[in-house]
Amino acid sequence: MMMKTFGVLIALFSSAVLAKPIFETTTEEKTGGWPAVSRTLAGLIIGFDADLKSQADEEMADKDVKAGDYQLLFASRKLPLSADRKTFLLVRPKSSPYFQTFYGAHTFFHWIVDDQNRILYAGNADAFRVLGSSRHGMKDIQQAQCHGGKCYLVKYSFKAGKYEETSCSTQDIDSNKVTKGCTSEPAR
């Protein structure tokens, strides 16, 4: 398992060099030092998906964490998404305390929120990047889903107030070769 994780990370970092991201975070990244989110924003994030909220509530009860104390679960980073320097945040689960609800085998949930607390994007991936390219005044983003010896690099561009998928490339983990298109549908 450790070797597979190492291989996935090598593939992700090598593709990051090719794509020249201006921000990147991965599942294994520690969030110590990341600012906490407000109580309001934590409530918005947890309320975005009823199933996720239910699972989080159950895990909080199992761990004797005060019910409704969602602020404890999330951390954020300011994102350089627009030329006009508006504030955008990437919100993700904290690495400590660790809550399995927000992680997959090697993925993590993440959200982009604007300064009005509107969720512009919600994802669950091995890696999240802000790219140097942009459309409609906002930087493009990319998430990587890795499984079965391949990483699916899905690019999203901003349109009509939200991020929409614009392309997908497949990267072979062993060779690091990247090809346009996805040879099989990535998990989302």
Side-chain angles (χ1 to χ4, degrees):
M1 181 65 173
M2 184 64 149
M3 201 59 172
K4 179 181 177 185
T5 300
F6 182 69
V8 168
L9 288 175
I10 287 173
L12 291 173
F13 288 124
S14 66
S15 68
V17 171
L18 296 173
K20 295 184 175 63
I22 57 176
F23 173 85
E24 180 174 29
T25 186
T26 63
T27 304
E28 292 82 13
E29 182 174 348
K30 301 295 182 206
T31 59
W34 285 47
V37 300
S38 69
R39 183 174 296 282
T40 300
L41 183 51
L44 174 74
I45 294 294
I46 200 72
F48 188 71
D49 181 325
D51 289 335
L52 200 61
K53 180 185 182 306
S54 175
Q55 291 172 31
D57 287 343
E58 186 176 313
E59 189 172 356
M60 289 173 80
D62 289 346
K63 293 182 176 181
D64 294 324
V65 174
K66 181 181 170 188
D69 196 6
Y70 303 120
Q71 191 174 1
L72 171 73
L73 307 178
F74 302 106
S76 66
R77 278 272 169 96
K78 288 184 180 180
L79 284 181
L81 286 179
S82 71
D84 63 8
R85 305 206 187 260
K86 283 184 180 177
T87 301
F88 295 90
L89 295 176
L90 175 73
V91 178
R92 63 167 290 165
K94 286 185 177 180
S95 55
S96 180
Y98 177 80
F99 276 75
Q100 180 60 43
T101 297
F102 302 106
Y103 290 92
H106 48 86
T107 64
F108 67 103
F109 281 89
H110 48 277
W111 302 263
I112 295 175
V113 182
D114 71 8
D115 58 353
Q116 303 294 311
N117 283 339
R118 289 181 296 221
I119 297 174
L120 303 179
Y121 172 80
N124 183 11
D126 295 78
F128 169 86
R129 299 180 187 105
V130 175
L131 304 175
S133 57
S134 62
R135 293 206 180 109
H136 306 286
M138 297 283 285
K139 297 288 184 191
D140 295 331
I141 61 174
Q142 181 184 68
Q143 71 174 19
Q145 294 277 349
C146 302
H147 53 85
K150 299 185 184 306
C151 287
Y152 302 94
L153 309 173
V154 183
K155 182 178 175 182
Y156 298 82
S157 296
F158 197 74
K159 183 178 179 185
K162 64 182 179 176
Y163 277 95
E164 297 178 352
E165 183 177 330
T166 56
S167 66
C168 187
S169 298
T170 303
Q171 181 177 27
D172 182 81
I173 291 174
D174 292 331
S175 70
N176 286 332
K177 181 180 176 186
V178 178
T179 55
K180 288 187 177 191
C182 291
T183 55
S184 73
E185 189 63 25
R188 294 200 182 132

